[in-house]
Amino acid sequence: AEQRDADKRRGGGSSEPPPLARSDVGERVASLLMQLPQRSYDRVAAVYDLLALAWSAGAIGAAGRAVAQRVEPGQRVLVAGVGGGRDAAALAARGADLTLVDLSPRMLARAAARVAEVDGVAVVHCADVLGLAPGDHDVVCAHYFLNVFGPQDVPEALARLAAQLRPGGLLSIADFAPLTGNAISRLGQRVHYALPLAVFSALGLCARHPIYDYAAMLPPELVLVGLEDHRVGRVGPCWHRTWFARRVS
């Protein structure tokens, strides 16, 4: 019964690897993996891209694809939480050597299909990226992925993503931008964030939390090297952001 419950929380399905032992990832990470709500986006895979486009008028896509201009052909890129695969396709078009990791088989299938459309190739893992052994990637992408976690768990998730990078490797984080501007602008920004948060948290797909500023949450091994803000509808307010950080140790 305990195994079945663990499988359900981790997305279920026979294609997933067995749960990692505590000795493999450490007691804190094993506990984190077991306590997370179900995060498989299978239920929204068919409409995820449409919802993102409609709600942000392209800003979510722009924030996720910003890293592609920083990727060189042949670089090893890990995408944590692939979404609908448009970011992965942009990376494949740049000649990246892709590894896609997600708990949702449907999201993975859509992402792999989009990569194939641009003649790209990707290794696909239906698994929890936090449970992977440390890697040697040139780039790790966490686009609208870290907002799944509550505030107490984001630092640990960031540390696990940093462990996937080689020294000097680049972490790309895309998400809702921190609050800025006057009171009216901040109110609009809060509403823009709160409505999708309410829907996805009600579906059990993410934790409820305030907007994060990842620049203030990076572990010591990561150093912020750049920011890009993205306007809603290209001419609207800058309510989405991409953070770039390099691993220094």
Side-chain angles (χ1 to χ4, degrees), residues 20-30 32-33 78 80 128-137 140 142 145-146 149 153-165 171 219 221-222 247:
L20 294 174
R22 289 177 183 266
S23 60
D24 291 333
V25 296
E27 183 174 350
R28 171 68 182 127
V29 176
L32 173 62
L33 294 178
L78 173 68
D128 194 315
V129 69
L130 299 187
L132 298 180
D136 190 32
H137 298 90
V140 170
F145 169 76
L146 289 165
F149 302 96
D153 294 324
V154 172
E156 187 66 50
L158 280 166
R160 293 301 301 175
L161 293 174
Q164 293 297 327
L165 287 166
L171 174 63
E221 61 268 31
L222 291 173
R247 182 177 177 182

Side-chain angles (χ1 to χ4, degrees), residues 40-248:
S40 173
Y41 275 55
D42 272 358
R43 287 171 289 173
V44 296
V47 296
Y48 182 83
D49 281 344
L50 180 61
L51 291 174
L53 176 62
W55 188 246
S56 72
I60 288 175
R65 293 190 296 272
V67 69
Q69 300 305 313
R70 298 174 181 243
V71 171
E72 300 296 331
Q75 285 193 313
R76 300 179 302 276
V77 180
L78 173 68
V79 182
V82 297
R86 296 188 185 278
D87 301 353
L91 292 163
R94 294 280 295 180
D97 180 2
L98 290 175
T99 299
L100 311 181
V101 185
D102 203 293
L103 282 171
S104 167
R106 292 180 181 176
M107 285 292 206
L108 282 169
R110 294 172 72 86
R114 286 211 165 102
V115 168
E117 287 174 359
V118 296
D119 297 324
V121 177
V123 175
V124 174
H125 292 293
C126 188
D128 194 315
V129 69
L130 299 187
L132 298 180
D136 190 32
H137 298 90
D138 299 295
V139 180
V140 170
C141 300
H143 299 161
Y144 297 87
F145 169 76
L146 289 165
N147 58 18
V148 166
F149 302 96
Q152 72 278 10
D153 294 324
V154 172
E156 187 66 50
L158 280 166
R160 293 301 301 175
L161 293 174
Q164 293 297 327
L165 287 166
R166 64 168 176 79
L170 182 71
L171 174 63
S172 171
I173 303 170
D175 214 324
F176 291 86
L179 294 173
T180 58
N182 58 33
I184 295 176
S185 175
R186 285 171 174 259
L187 176 61
Q189 195 173 357
R190 285 191 177 98
V191 172
H192 179 72
Y193 171 72
L195 289 181
L197 175 69
V199 172
F200 281 84
S201 62
L203 291 172
L205 298 176
C206 70
R208 283 183 170 271
H209 55 76
I211 298 174
Y212 293 142
D213 184 358
Y214 297 104
M217 306 174 81
L218 296 174
E221 61 268 31
L222 291 173
V223 173
L224 187 71
V225 295
L227 298 170
E228 288 189 27
D229 287 333
H230 307 278
R231 295 184 180 276
V232 174
R234 296 188 179 182
V235 296
C238 294
W239 287 349
H240 294 261
R241 174 172 289 179
T242 312
W243 293 256
F244 299 104
R246 288 205 178 274
R247 182 177 177 182
V248 295

